[in-house]
Amino acid sequence: GKFCIKQIQGQTSVRELSTDQIKNIPRMSVSPSILNPQLSTRRQSGMDAIVKTKHQMLQFDYNKNPITLKCRLYIIKAVLYRGWDQSGKADPFIKIALNNTTIIDDTEGKLRNTLEPVFGKSFEFDVQLPIQNLICIQLWDWDMTSSNDLMAETKIDIENRWFSCHRATCGLPKRYDSVGYNVWRDTKKPTQILEELCRTADIDSPVYAPDFQSLKIADDVFECDPECIEFIKHAKTAGDTIHRKAHHESPDDYTKENTALMALNKWGKTINPVRKYLFLLFSFL
């Protein structure tokens, strides 16, 4: 927006001006609080809010204070729709770049003669915002006698994910485990995430049933996965629970975390759409 402030010439007070004189004054030079003193209090309240917001925004001035993030990237597999070698296959390997700088060149991990490579790898590296805000994942075809060919690439905007109101930091699995191949990888447990989500959306904290097999948020009820309940019910010894590792925590804790996780997975479909829309609108503003 653009606005102008002009000085009114003469000694006549604005309050003493006639209606015709006021109309002749450029619109942007007249302060509503001068013409209507009752607006002064509301204007001051608004200015206080602006000052508070500006102070909060200065805390996010990460041009002066860059943010360093630990990024963990999982690459499971890829599907190629055409061959790149004379054999009709390809020898794919992975390259990862931050902006235009290659940080990982996994040529040694290339897979031979396949159009459906299963990499099953994870890469961990630091990302500094706002200097490094775009991750580029590339799939290259290795050639012995000629230069390697770029087959495909995709880009992930880390800055967009970091400032997203949808907590785009780690995906939500369908089951919670404390250890094992399906170990919970988020820094916060499902109960903590759910508690913070309710607080952010200005909703009462979840109320758990005495057996932790269900919980209630406002008027919505979420129930634990029946497979988790059956698993705990029929586990007689610690040896019976090795494949799920539930013996590393109490059965109640295991059930409670899985109930909270079920609520998180069904949050967008079950919670009142109007309430969810207002929450997203508030977060956007």
Side-chain angles (χ1 to χ4, degrees), residues 61-279:
D61 186 7
Y62 64 109
N63 287 312
K64 297 180 180 179
N65 303 295
I67 301 174
T68 301
L69 306 176
K70 179 69 70 176
C71 181
R72 185 180 295 118
L73 180 64
Y74 296 91
I75 300 180
I76 309 302
K77 66 179 181 179
V79 178
L80 306 176
Y81 293 97
R82 73 179 183 88
W84 290 77
D85 297 333
Q86 294 181 354
S87 62
K89 301 289 185 177
D91 304 320
F93 67 93
I94 299 167
K95 278 188 180 182
I96 300 174
L98 283 178
N99 292 355
N100 296 322
T101 304
T102 300
I103 60 172
I104 294 175
D105 187 347
D106 191 28
T107 308
E108 297 297 327
K110 61 181 176 294
L111 301 178
R112 300 286 189 130
N113 298 323
T114 178
L115 294 180
E116 296 182 356
V118 178
F119 297 102
K121 292 187 175 183
S122 65
F123 303 94
E124 191 170 292
F125 47 88
D126 291 334
V127 176
Q128 191 176 60
L129 298 178
I131 302 172
Q132 302 165 321
N133 64 331
L134 197 64
I135 295 180
C136 182
I137 306 169
Q138 299 176 335
L139 200 61
W140 288 74
D141 175 46
W142 178 83
D143 291 320
M144 179 180 295
T145 58
S146 60
S147 60
N148 300 328
D149 301 315
L150 175 62
M151 295 188 292
E153 66 176 352
T154 185
K155 297 180 179 180
I156 302 175
D157 191 333
I158 295 299
E159 186 178 35
N160 188 20
R161 289 199 175 197
W162 176 253
F163 288 105
S164 172
C165 64
H166 301 291
R167 199 177 181 275
T169 55
C170 190
L172 287 176
K174 295 183 179 180
R175 196 65 56 84
Y176 167 84
D177 284 308
S178 58
V179 293
Y181 70 91
N182 194 41
V183 62
W184 184 257
R185 291 179 172 85
D186 204 304
T187 56
K188 298 179 180 179
K189 292 186 177 183
T191 51
Q192 296 173 300
I193 300 174
L194 184 61
E195 185 74 26
E196 292 180 358
L197 184 59
C198 291
R199 185 165 56 250
T200 304
D202 196 19
I203 302 176
D204 292 338
S205 298
V207 179
Y208 294 88
D211 56 2
F212 300 109
Q213 295 183 7
S214 65
L215 64 85
K216 185 176 182 180
I217 302 176
D219 298 328
D220 302 305
V221 178
F222 301 90
E223 296 183 352
C224 183
D225 188 349
E227 291 185 5
C228 297
I229 299 175
E230 290 296 321
F231 169 72
I232 291 296
K233 184 184 300 183
H234 295 92
K236 299 179 180 179
T237 64
D240 295 335
T241 62
I242 288 178
H243 68 290
R244 293 300 307 280
K245 308 298 183 183
H247 59 280
H248 283 261
E249 54 195 355
S250 69
D252 287 344
D253 290 339
Y254 176 81
T255 304
K256 183 177 181 180
E257 296 296 342
N258 277 284
T259 302
L261 182 58
M262 180 63 71
L264 289 171
N265 280 310
K266 292 186 176 180
W267 177 275
K269 298 180 181 179
T270 309
I271 296 295
N272 189 331
V274 176
R275 185 192 307 146
K276 180 176 66 173
Y277 168 76
L278 293 176
F279 162 61

Side-chain angles (χ1 to χ4, degrees), residues 4 6 8 14 22 25-35 43:
C4 297
K6 295 184 179 180
I8 300 176
V14 176
I22 292 177
I25 299 175
R27 179 176 297 178
M28 294 303 295
S29 65
V30 180
S31 172
S33 60
I34 295 178
L35 301 179
R43 174 179 289 271

